[in-house]
Amino acid sequence: FRYYNYTAGTGNDEFTINSVNVYPAKAVTYGFTKIDGKYVSSNQGVNNTESLIYLPVDLTKNFGEYNIKVNAQVSSVSGDYGLVNVLEEIGGTENQICYMYGEKSATEYTIKVNGGKMYYLRLRYYKDAKTSGGTDTFTVNSIDISPVLPVQEGKTDENGQLKLRAPYGKYK
């Protein structure tokens, strides 16, 4: 803070601050706790907060399309919600995988992404400043990343055999 006196004066300009009010931050960020392979929000019962974590998904050495499957559940009251987004960079454009609120049992959500890129999964449980209810948690039970296999159609030949080409890739 600077004080300037633009009028001609005696050089005895003074500025007095009589009081300062300090207010708490409006939101506090918590993380997620990994329990038995599940990601569980850690801000239970603490209103006006969020649990937040970014999980890297490195597909830079892979090609083709991939499914990211997220199995999640939530137990909360109105105004609180859990969501999972996929981003190509932190702070970049988001593609929503799931958005859940209220009491919702384990549900699977899927989004397709392309190989050759780095992604980040953002898990977030937001709590408003009102009340808490249920177990007051957002839980991501599992995250599965698998290639999308192409569907091929064909007809059998006169001997009843079907010949299809295997997709390009590495095989074991």
Side-chain angles (χ1 to χ4, degrees), residues 1-136:
F1 179 84
R2 291 184 178 165
Y3 170 71
Y4 295 99
N5 182 5
Y6 290 104
T7 60
T10 63
N12 295 328
D13 296 328
E14 293 181 10
F15 182 77
T16 304
I17 298 175
N18 293 318
S19 67
V20 175
N21 293 327
V22 178
Y23 297 97
K26 291 189 177 184
V28 176
T29 301
Y30 290 77
F32 275 73
T33 305
K34 195 167 185 182
I35 302 171
D36 298 326
K38 300 176 183 181
Y39 291 94
V40 181
S41 59
S42 63
N43 59 337
Q44 294 83 355
V46 187
N47 294 331
N48 204 27
T49 60
E50 71 177 347
S51 281
L52 181 67
I53 188 173
Y54 290 89
L55 303 173
V57 177
D58 188 357
L59 296 176
T60 56
K61 296 181 181 176
N62 302 65
F63 52 88
E65 282 187 317
Y66 287 80
N67 283 325
I68 298 177
K69 294 181 185 177
V70 174
N71 183 293
Q73 63 192 51
V74 69
S75 177
S76 67
V77 295
S78 177
D80 301 349
Y81 60 87
L83 60 83
V84 179
N85 290 345
V86 62
L87 304 90
E88 288 188 32
E89 60 185 48
I90 295 176
T93 303
E94 304 173 4
N95 292 304
Q96 186 171 291
I97 299 175
C98 78
Y99 174 86
M100 306 174 83
Y101 59 92
E103 293 290 328
K104 191 157 187 183
S105 60
T107 306
E108 187 170 276
Y109 300 87
T110 303
I111 190 169
K112 287 184 184 178
V113 296
N114 293 315
K117 297 180 181 180
M118 181 73 168
Y119 296 96
Y120 297 90
L121 292 180
R122 184 179 75 173
L123 284 53
R124 180 178 184 220
Y125 181 54
Y126 173 78
K127 294 187 49 52
D128 67 9
K130 295 180 183 169
T131 61
S132 299
T135 61
D136 200 23

